Amino acid sequence: MRLHKVYHRFSLLSLTSPPFLIPPCSSSTPPPFLRSKRCRTTSSLSSNNPFIKPMSTSSSSRLRNLVPVGAIGTEDAGPNGSAAAYDYSYNDDDELNSGYRLPPPEIKDIVDAPPLPALSFSPFRDKILFLKRRSLPPLSELAKPEDKLAGIRIDGKSNARSRMSFYTGIGIHDLKDDGTLGPEKSIHGFPEGSKLNFVTWSPDGKHLAFSIRQDEVEDVDSKLRLWVADVETGKAKPLFQSPDVFLNAIYDQYVWVNNSTLLVCTIPESRGSPPKKPLVPAGPKIQSNEQKTVVQSRTYQDLLKDEYDEDLFEYYATSQLVLVSLDGAVRLFGEPALYTSLDPSPDEKYILLSSTHRPFSFTVPSGRFPRKIDLWTADGKFLRTICDLPVAEDIPIASNSVRKGMRSLNWRADKPSELYWVETQDGGDAKVEVSPRDIVYTQSADAPQGEEPKIFFKLDLRYGGISWCDDSLALVYESWYKTRRVKTWLVSPGSNETPRLLFDRSSEDVYSDPGSPMFRRTPAGTYVIAKFKKENKEGTYLLLNGSGATPEGNIPFLDLFDIETGDKERIWQSDKEKYFESVVALMSDQTAGDLYVNDLKVLTSKESKTENTQYYLQKWPEKKSCQITNFPHPYPQLASLQKEMVRYKRQDGVQLTATLYLPPGYDASRDGPLPCLVWSYPGEFKNKEAAGQVRGSPNTFAGIGATSPLLWLARRYAILSGPTIPIIGEGKEEANDSYVDQLVWSAEAAVEEVIRRGVAHPDKIAIGGHSYGAFMTANLLAHAPHLFCCGIARSGAYNRTLTPFGFQNEDRTLWDATDTYIKMSPFMAANKIKKPILLIHGEEDNNSGTLTMQSDRFFQALKGHGALSRLVILPFESHGYSSRESIMHCLWETDRWLQKFCVSNSSEASIESKTDESKTVASGGGAVAELEDIGNGVDGLHFNTRSSLW
């Protein structure tokens, strides 16, 4: 890999979860935060079809749980600085509707626990960075002005994306051969209180580059400056000698071109002041479709609205590229433009520059604006324009539909400077039947003018990426969401050998997942598939790293795979009795030439139900394990919590699973049933067998995020986390046509299971969820009121007619499936909701489909029918909640709701309610934990739809 780049936005994910590890390379295709411009083996997979992966990886699901949040903490004070006392009685007085509040100390203390550092390995695995973080940011960080332009939220003061988290410091440790760490050496020399972002290693691992910004005070600008540090001495200094050169961080910020030179996106020195909004508009806002173009778009937010927005977006997004060396020499590179990515070739001779330009669009975000890709020499000479694509407003909403023209243009990781890309043959419309559907092309960067590109591969499904190795081996992936089919082809790029179909399977069938190939670093800094040899034996082998899904839970493994015969040999497997272990990265690829199994060294993680994640070096042939980290337990007060993966069936025979958490020291026979919080998120499947497969492990550590339902273990609730709620549409059936029925079936089965076990009081079971989980919650209170005493719905969408061109995984329009849209909308069933429901929403929600208006309109509908309801709008918050004030208040609201309507719920009131609602039609569903709650240790579904209502 060329470099590691790390930056994160404020998020909902756990501040007390295991440390975020930035490994040198994942066991499969490197994750986005790992990929340099040379390591995009499956770059189009997420953009074309985010729900299907060619081959899953055990490490990716674990890493997904460990996203760090860098921010600053605040004192226990209200907005005006006064202490916010906790009201244990939750008296119904005027104070309940004003001010920020704090949850009980047992919850607050867990959320306020200091976060562990993020980790990053050097390119040669000989050093580890410990990136220091602070806890939850104050609301004042979110309250700073921001411009919402083209789907991007911009902090004009820093000319960067708004709400960026940051690191507060960097420590470096030598990683010794025995797995132990040397003493910490701090990066120093930058101003105290600086906020660090975009930390990267130079290709040779001798330097670090990172941006620095400071809070805006007198004589100090909050714009980002680029610094470099010598890894050996720890001394940092500004990269530019002039103090007036600032990073433009709207899109890509900078890239290492070689060991001593960086290409940097800077704010043009001559750009002047931002455009001023005219007091009187030049004319009305007009959009026209006189050409009768069919444009169907999801419900995007923060779009451009007028000419002023266009000018302002162009102002902030325009960069001047600069080549700068470590000795301070500076040279301009090209003309100012809206550069979106910078991609050096592996041989450091060329650079691909991607940019966007006018005409912009008022109906789609900037990712669909016109896109131009130019080829330059690394010293700044323009060679040619490779493509210039028009605005893509007309991509059909059907799954697997894509942009017309060249897409997924990248450098081959195994060649000095060879390009590859894919072009659709169906006009980008997945509903068009054609063969082939996609064609992959290759062409050398120095190809003579006029030379036609070579056809590399033809695909009948949608292109899903390529993992390169060498001229004898590459893996090509294709997939089709409607059928969940995924194929992996083994190709010999340097010969005319017929491609061989290696795997052909359903993405839903996790039990048959063979695993993903591990990658090695090349001398050029890219990552390619690692090939292995066995001592004294012929043959070439790959290492397949798999999640190892089984009916007993995930048991990750490493298989030695003979690419000629297809034979497999399991050389490592996780402990399945007590621990959950997974392979994170290959660590023995530093020497050139063949890799041998007996010299294998990998980085692994290890955890249990009660022991938080630690990292280890595992060496062959002894398979000796050396512990690298020794992080303290993030919440010792819950160290002895009880966790169990439970299995049960719903009425149509589908096998369901959930993770049951019980408080420390709880004994059902002694303590009796508890109040119970059920927290979930539905998911779609094509067949019952796949829907019933077990995902996740009973041995994973119970990571607890800042708004995780597991916090209520500290309040002695039983928590049923992630009960599966599969919405199944077999054959030609559409899953959502029976959404409500399947939703209720799954919920009924989950409730019956916790009651049968004696851990949950039948009249004290609450339901909750975030985003699509909030949609689920409202539907269950409307269609299964006999199951739950109350509900908590956060950041949801409740009226599907407000998302008429598809939502979540529904790609039919409102006019195609009117009955489905109406029946699925709890807004239309507001008159049926009789149980208390708490609605929480961020006032600045930018997620597609979940406009804040959704909660506001739903609350008005509930209020109009006299429903016991409460709406809490969190100022400045987006789809997930970030600030300490907001998160603490969200927890206070939730705890108050549960205490009043769950813990204090009387059986008499419940019986009366059941009598009134006994004629409600039962309808039903199942799922796993949402993205917002991945800190609880529940693995996600095979397709990653956790955080958005589309």
Side-chain angles (χ1 to χ4, degrees), residues 97-160:
N97 297 318
S98 63
Y100 285 94
R101 308 298 289 268
L102 292 171
E106 53 265 45
I107 289 179
K108 170 186 165 296
D109 291 347
I110 294 174
V111 177
D112 272 341
L116 297 172
L119 307 183
S120 174
F121 284 85
S122 67
F124 295 101
R125 323 289 201 272
D126 58 342
K127 293 179 173 58
I128 305 180
L129 295 186
F130 279 57
L131 300 160
K132 313 298 177 62
R133 305 181 284 152
R134 291 186 181 178
S135 53
L136 293 169
L139 188 63
S140 57
E141 289 284 322
L142 275 64
K144 292 180 180 178
E146 60 182 1
D147 292 291
K148 302 169 183 177
L149 304 168
I152 302 172
R153 295 187 172 182
I154 296 173
D155 177 356
K157 293 290 186 180
S158 62
N159 213 103

Side-chain angles (χ1 to χ4, degrees), residues 18 37 162 181 358 366 440 510 517 588 776 801 818 856 882 931:
K37 305 305 179 180
S162 61
L181 298 180
R358 292 177 184 262
S366 65
V440 181
V510 293
S588 55
M776 168 207 71
T801 68
T818 304
D856 182 67
S882 303
L931 177 62

Side-chain angles (χ1 to χ4, degrees), residues 391-409:
V391 65
E393 292 181 329
D394 59 348
I395 299 177
I397 63 172
S399 299
N400 288 119
S401 294
V402 296
R403 190 173 194 155
K404 300 174 186 175
M406 297 174 66
R407 68 183 199 276
S408 304
L409 179 67

Side-chain angles (χ1 to χ4, degrees), residues 92 144 150 190 343 402 425 508 649 674 715 852 902:
D92 286 322
K144 292 180 180 178
F190 51 84
D343 293 342
V402 296
Q425 306 301 299
E508 292 184 339
K649 290 184 179 181
L674 298 171
R715 297 282 278 165
T852 307
C902 183

Side-chain angles (χ1 to χ4, degrees), residues 210-250:
F210 52 91
S211 70
I212 279 184
R213 58 193 165 100
Q214 297 172 274
D215 289 327
E216 190 174 14
V217 295
E218 287 187 23
D219 302 323
V220 177
D221 200 298
S222 63
K223 290 185 174 63
L224 282 70
R225 293 177 169 86
L226 193 57
W227 283 57
V228 292
D230 184 286
V231 170
E232 286 303 317
T233 65
K235 176 65 175 176
K237 65 176 183 179
L239 180 60
F240 293 97
Q241 296 179 1
S242 169
D244 298 322
V245 179
F246 303 103
L247 274 183
N248 187 332
I250 302 301

